[in-house]
Amino acid sequence: MPRINEEDMREKVTPFLEPGEQVVTMGWASEKGFKYYYVALTDRRLLLVRLSAMNKVKGEESIPLTELEAASVHKGYKYAPLDMKLLSSLAETSLYIRTRDGKKRALRFPLIAGLKNKEVPVQIMETLKLPG
């Protein structure tokens, strides 16, 4: 995995921001199927900048905040035996979201040295104040 840092995140997220749009929090996440993202919560949307395995930008998608219906945070692997949940909770935090059209996403934010990456899903939840 390429080195991930705050500067690289800002460099790759900024070109996708609209004029006046402000980033609330952002981090690096993965999704099932070897999909990698810089995830940025802005004052308008949840922005997902898709990355290659070599950390090159492959595109972006965004979900307007008004389209988010529910979200929840789980520390560790959601569907694992208790002992695995305890160990995995040290390594990652997951954000589960559902949009108004029923689409579900599960984004995993791992522990990354030098970043508060595991805290990003919690910050997103606290900001959005959506039901779980």
Side-chain angles (χ1 to χ4, degrees):
M1 178 169 70
R3 183 157 169 76
I4 297 163
N5 57 51
E6 189 83 25
E7 182 181 325
D8 189 62
M9 278 192 273
R10 289 206 181 283
E11 180 182 304
K12 290 186 170 111
V13 166
T14 299
F16 296 104
L17 295 176
E18 298 168 353
E21 188 172 20
Q22 299 294 312
V23 173
V24 176
T25 188
M26 68 179 153
W28 184 92
S30 65
E31 195 173 33
K32 189 167 68 171
F34 299 104
K35 295 177 184 173
Y36 308 106
Y37 302 93
Y38 281 147
V39 178
L41 176 67
T42 75
D43 55 342
R44 302 175 191 173
R45 60 192 168 142
L46 189 64
L47 175 64
L48 295 102
V49 177
R50 178 90 189 268
L51 304 167
S52 70
M54 297 307 296
N55 213 35
K56 304 290 182 208
V57 173
K58 292 177 71 175
E60 68 81 32
E61 60 183 290
S62 64
I63 305 168
L65 298 183
T66 56
E67 292 301 311
L68 293 170
E69 184 173 71
S72 62
V73 170
H74 296 275
K75 294 191 184 268
Y77 306 129
K78 187 175 181 181
Y79 301 109
L82 184 58
D83 57 341
M84 282 299 296
K85 280 185 182 183
L86 292 173
L87 288 173
S88 66
S89 69
L90 300 172
E92 73 176 30
T93 303
S94 296
L95 174 67
Y96 297 88
I97 57 172
R98 186 176 70 240
T99 57
R100 295 199 184 285
D101 62 4
K103 291 181 184 169
K104 296 178 182 179
R105 303 288 291 266
L107 299 162
R108 297 187 319 267
F109 292 77
L111 176 66
I112 297 176
L115 292 176
K116 294 184 177 179
N117 200 55
K118 276 183 48 182
E119 305 308 316
V120 172
V122 175
Q123 293 168 339
I124 290 172
M125 280 292 298
E126 288 173 349
T127 303
L128 294 178
K129 296 179 175 71
L130 292 171

